[in-house]
Amino acid sequence: NAGVMQNPRHLVRRRGQEARLRCSPMKGHSHVYWYRQLPEEGLKFMVYLQKENIIDESGMPKERFSAEFPKEGPSILRIQQVVRGDSAAYFCASSPRQGADTEAFFGQGTRLTVV
Amino acid sequence: GENVGLHLPTLSVQEGDNSIINCAYSNSASDYFIWYKQESGKGPQFIIDIRSNMDKRQGQRVTVLLNKTVKHLSLQIAATQPGDSAVYFCAETLKAAGNKLTFGGGTRVLVKP
């Protein structure tokens, strides 16, 4: 029973390039959450998606960032025209349904480095 | 408040001793709280949770205490082991917000043999 799978684990991009981060939720989970973590800090909520729907994107920067969770395939967090400040660890979590008492399982993260 | 990139507070504890990690949460309306453990290079791992209608919950070697009056949460680890060395985060949420979690700043625990 595979957990939440994120790839790549490490991603290096030059300034101005695009970064695509993928998240495959646990089997049977239809709710996905993306978080960003800067070094020595806690995780910050970015976006909450269900299949084909964005439920809450209140933590997403207004420009350059987008997320999707298509009917088939993984959830994608896309960062266009990356800047050095985008360097961080990006974590995805999934849960089977909405509800705070439903445990969300985290993936191992993608560490993005912008050079 | 927002963490502005300061180094994490560190708790050094002797192997076998008990550890207490504290957390101040921000939203008095939060009704569900969780402690996570994060090892280097890994994602957060669920440890224990507590609802706002409780003030104490026990798990295996861990106890979470909730004081809503002062918006304070603590995690007690009994007989700390080397494998407990990690960064520990508290998180809060509203049931209506699902798993949209607000994380605290974290505490690094170092277990000395």
Side-chain angles (χ1 to χ4, degrees):
Chain A
N1 183 15
V4 178
M5 303 300 292
Q6 289 188 248
N7 69 83
R9 291 293 309 276
H10 299 274
L11 181 61
V12 179
R13 285 286 177 266
R14 294 187 185 280
R15 282 179 294 170
Q17 291 184 319
E18 178 180 289
R20 281 185 176 238
L21 288 62
R22 294 174 186 78
C23 170
S24 295
M26 287 182 69
K27 187 177 180 181
H29 288 194
S30 58
H31 299 249
V32 165
Y33 306 79
W34 284 94
Y35 291 83
R36 176 164 63 178
Q37 184 178 35
L38 296 172
E40 301 284 292
E41 293 189 14
L43 283 72
K44 298 287 195 297
F45 170 80
M46 299 181 75
V47 63
Y48 164 32
L49 310 103
Q50 290 181 44
K51 284 284 187 181
E52 300 183 277
N53 288 304
I54 295 174
I55 307 302
D56 182 343
E57 56 182 347
S58 58
M60 287 279 271
K62 294 288 184 272
E63 297 178 349
R64 302 188 298 108
F65 284 71
S66 62
E68 63 177 9
F69 189 16
K71 186 177 181 181
E72 302 290 338
S75 175
I76 306 287
L77 179 67
R78 182 181 175 202
I79 311 172
Q80 294 178 290
Q81 299 172 351
V82 296
V83 301
R84 288 230 171 99
D86 297 332
S87 295
Y90 292 83
F91 290 95
C92 166
S94 74
S95 65
R97 62 185 183 277
Q98 185 179 5
D101 53 355
T102 306
E103 183 182 342
F105 294 84
F106 282 85
Q108 300 286 42
T110 294
R111 277 144 191 87
L112 172 65
T113 302
V114 180
V115 297
Chain B
E2 286 291 325
N3 187 313
V4 291
L6 299 173
H7 291 298
L8 290 171
T10 299
L11 174 67
S12 291
V13 60
Q14 202 69 38
E15 181 179 355
D17 287 351
N18 297 335
S19 303
I20 299 176
I21 307 163
N22 297 302
C23 174
Y25 64 90
S26 57
N27 188 351
S28 56
S30 292
D31 52 16
Y32 184 64
F33 305 88
I34 310 140
W35 278 100
Y36 286 94
K37 172 186 180 183
Q38 187 177 26
E39 295 174 284
S40 181
K42 296 186 177 180
Q45 179 185 359
F46 174 94
I47 301 173
I48 191 167
D49 58 1
I50 188 167
R51 299 186 184 190
S52 59
N53 61 354
M54 304 170 67
D55 52 22
K56 180 179 179 179
R57 190 167 187 220
Q58 286 185 292
Q60 189 175 17
R61 277 202 312 118
V62 294
T63 301
V64 55
L65 299 177
L66 174 63
N67 184 332
K68 294 184 289 294
T69 303
V70 294
K71 293 192 289 184
H72 183 268
L73 199 64
S74 68
L75 177 71
Q76 300 176 4
I77 305 173
T80 312
Q81 302 170 358
D84 295 327
S85 292
V87 178
Y88 290 80
F89 293 98
C90 67
E92 59 181 300
T93 190
L94 288 162
K95 280 188 180 180
N99 281 297
K100 177 184 175 182
L101 301 167
T102 300
F103 281 80
T107 298
R108 176 172 285 116
V109 172
L110 293 175
V111 181
K112 297 178 287 186

